[in-house]
Amino acid sequence: MKVLVTPTSLTPESPLAALRRLRESVDEVQFNPARVPLEPAQLIPLLQDVDGVIAGLDQFSAEVLRAAGPRLRVISRYGTGCDRVDLAAAAERGIAVTTTPGANSVAVAELALGLMFALARRLPGLDRAVRAGGWPRSQGLELTGKTLGVIGLGAIGRNVASRAQALGMTVVGYDPFVADDAVVSAGVEPLPLPELLGRSDVVTLHVPLQGATRHLIDAGALAAMKPGALLLNTSRGGLVDERAAAAALESGHLGGLALDAYETEPPLGSPLFAYDNVIATPHTGAHTAEAVERMAEAAVTNLLAVLYHKGS
């Protein structure tokens, strides 16, 4: 039995107990040779003789899955989302797809809070200025007393909400898949999306990328936001129309933007980088030692459960 491991956080040198368990449970483990998310031309040859994959941010498109070898039976996502896997094509091939829900929720929530502080106080720009010999005076914002709009109230969104409440923020939320009474029990006021955008001083996104959520934050949504409001996206890049966001930054209507995910990754030459009130991080929300360990454990457990249940 052979398994391919593609996440860039999981390497042959890693001491993680989950990888030791994987090596003890299968005949061969092959790691991502490029150590970056794999393109289809790189991924397809690696899928010809494997029984399962622990998958990172590679695109398992219909083309990739239909070209995979006949032994492939499971794609165990190292992460919470499966938008990078064509689920219909996987079903056609009888390939199981699993995820690790909740394993990285604290890590991503803490990054969102960190980006919120960094935007509110313009920390990256101040750091750059001081390093260059400057000593600027900058007027930031206090988050205490402000309103945070959380779009998506799954595990990550709820973790962000509870931490924001501890800061003295009012939290409003929008999630059509969570009942209002469950939202209220979390101390969050449920609102329709347009009203949330109009009331929030900070908006943070925590929803999967699907047809209905692609460009959820478009020119109209940005126009509905309070002038000077801050926008955070630590979820999926396609949620934000980046051209519309650049226009909102140019006009001054959008007060700041922090991104950990982009429509194209890496976002080479993005027009957003022309603005000092944009903070960019490299899809690093889940990259804490604790989250890596939890996700690895869950991904390996999911993979082995499918492989040994179905036999080999």
Side-chain angles (χ1 to χ4, degrees), residues 3-7 10-11 19 22 29-33 52-56:
V3 171
L4 173 66
V5 177
T6 71
L10 304 181
T11 66
L19 291 181
L22 178 63
V29 177
Q30 180 177 0
F31 288 87
N32 180 344
V53 182
I54 294 179

Side-chain angles (χ1 to χ4, degrees), residues 83 151 174 176-177 205-218 235-241:
D83 53 280
I151 299 177
Y174 167 75
F177 300 103
L205 305 178
H206 303 288
V207 297
L209 179 61
Q210 301 169 339
T213 59
R214 183 171 293 279
H215 287 183
L216 179 67
I217 305 300
D218 57 9
S235 190
R236 290 289 186 263
L239 300 175
V240 176
D241 181 338

Side-chain angles (χ1 to χ4, degrees), residues 91 98 154 235 245 257 269 298:
T98 64
S235 190
L257 174 65

Side-chain angles (χ1 to χ4, degrees), residues 138-185:
S138 173
Q139 182 170 288
L141 299 171
E142 293 181 359
L143 296 176
T144 299
K146 298 297 191 296
T147 297
L148 174 67
V150 181
I151 299 177
L153 288 159
I156 296 172
R158 291 195 303 272
N159 269 294
V160 173
S162 66
R163 286 156 175 76
Q165 290 158 1
L167 295 172
M169 300 185 78
T170 297
V171 182
V172 298
Y174 167 75
D175 192 323
F177 300 103
V178 177
D180 282 356
D181 57 351
V183 176
V184 171
S185 69

